[in-house]
Amino acid sequence: MKASNSSRELSVRCGKATDGAGKLRALCKEEARRLAETLSFPPHQAAMSVAFWTTDEPSDLICVGNFTKGEGGAVTYGLDFSQTTLWHFCFFEHAEAALPCCG
């Protein structure tokens, strides 16, 4: 995982655009789990979004991770793959539902 925190926006780079949807999903899930263990929130902030990008250039958006800090300090997350820019990921994820995706 390569994590970047430029311009106050945290992002993660993992996988390649040529990787299959299942592999990218697993990589993002693993990186999100690791990030949740080490993520620190600024004071008075209980939620943040993190973009997950491919490592190759030009980078493609794989998903967006939504991280939340609970009252006890535990961090939970969900991964939103609906915003991906990877056409093959979109195709396999939404083929049955025929959902519009990826412009």
Side-chain angles (χ1 to χ4, degrees):
M1 165 184 76
K2 282 187 175 181
S4 169
N5 193 5
S6 61
S7 302
R8 297 181 148 187
E9 285 193 25
L10 185 62
S11 65
V12 174
R13 293 187 174 272
C14 60
K16 298 177 185 174
T18 55
D19 290 336
K23 181 175 181 177
L24 289 171
R25 183 179 287 278
L27 286 170
C28 289
K29 186 175 180 180
E30 178 61 23
E31 296 300 340
R33 184 192 62 76
R34 286 184 194 159
L35 185 57
E37 293 173 354
T38 61
L39 195 60
S40 59
F41 287 79
H44 308 292
Q45 183 178 347
M48 75 172 62
S49 294
V50 177
F52 287 73
W53 299 92
T54 58
T55 58
D56 42 10
E57 294 295 332
S59 295
D60 281 294
L61 180 66
I62 304 168
C63 68
V64 174
N66 297 303
F67 294 80
T68 307
K69 182 173 83 172
E71 288 184 29
V75 177
T76 58
Y77 66 89
L79 298 176
D80 179 3
F81 292 89
S82 69
Q83 299 180 50
T84 187
T85 59
L86 294 165
W87 71 269
H88 67 283
F89 194 93
C90 240
F91 176 77
F92 291 113
E93 288 293 302
H94 303 301
E96 290 182 14
L99 295 174
C101 177
C102 306

